[in-house]
Each structure stands twice: as structure tokens, then as C-alpha cells.
Amino acid sequence: MGKNRNTKETKHKICYMKRNLNLSVDISTYQEVKRTIPEGQVSSLVDNLLKEHFKKQRKEKLVADYKSTARSKAMREEDKIWEGTIEDGIEDE
């Protein structure tokens, strides 16, 4: 029986779903993009900028949530309870 040549290629092929997005920008921004960004690279630039924006947003939310938890009186009380159990069952040799 012959080997299926497409199996190897299909196994490692990565498919990306893409969607179109219409953007409205100021005319001066548009002119700057046309002047400075090579043709065919605008979409990947916008995609990368949006990914970085969302990554920054997630990080800021994580920091804010951490700070909120750190200020929580109930959480501090919970920490005190657990502090006493950290070395439970551990004996010096």
C-alpha cells in the first residue's frame, strides 16, 4: 500500500481563521500608514498592536485584582490562619 503523502503535511499544517475588520481612521493617519507601512503588512501590524493592547489590559486587570485582594481584610485573616499550618508535619532532623 502506498504512503499517504499528505498525512505528514496535514499533521503539521497550522490553519488560522481570519476575519475582515473595517476600520475608520483620520485622513492624516491613513496617509501616514500608506507612506510608511509596506503594502500587505498593514493587517499584521494592526493585529499585533491589538494583541499587545489586550495583553496589557489583562496584565493591568491582574495587577488591580492582586492589589484588591492584598487590601482585603478577609484575605489577610485567611492568610493568618494558613500561616500557622505552613510547617505542620515538618520535623527537624
Side-chain angles (χ1 to χ4, degrees):
M1 300 252 159
K3 216 179 195 183
N4 185 349
R5 294 182 196 174
N6 293 331
T7 303
K8 199 172 206 177
E9 293 172 3
T10 305
K11 212 187 242 187
H12 300 289
K13 184 177 180 181
I14 299 173
C15 295
Y16 295 102
M17 291 187 66
K18 295 186 178 193
R19 302 293 295 179
N20 288 337
L21 177 67
N22 294 323
L23 301 172
S24 297
V25 296
D26 187 71
I27 187 67
S28 61
T29 304
Y30 176 80
Q31 290 169 339
E32 188 74 14
V33 166
K34 294 303 273 180
R35 188 176 66 76
T36 59
I37 310 300
E39 191 172 327
Q41 293 184 16
V42 175
S43 290
S44 62
L45 173 68
V46 171
D47 187 47
N48 289 333
L49 290 171
L50 288 171
K51 285 176 184 176
E52 285 300 315
H53 172 75
F54 295 134
K55 183 178 175 181
K56 181 181 175 186
Q57 276 187 332
R58 285 190 298 270
K59 182 179 178 181
E60 288 172 355
K61 181 173 180 356
L62 187 63
V63 168
D65 290 348
Y66 174 79
K67 287 179 179 179
S68 174
T69 301
R71 287 190 300 264
S72 166
K73 183 177 180 181
M75 188 58 77
R76 285 195 305 273
E77 294 300 320
E78 179 90 12
D79 286 345
K80 286 178 186 175
I81 293 168
W82 284 102
E83 267 182 30
T85 64
I86 289 176
E87 295 182 8
D88 280 358
I90 299 175
E91 297 176 21
D92 290 335
E93 291 182 24

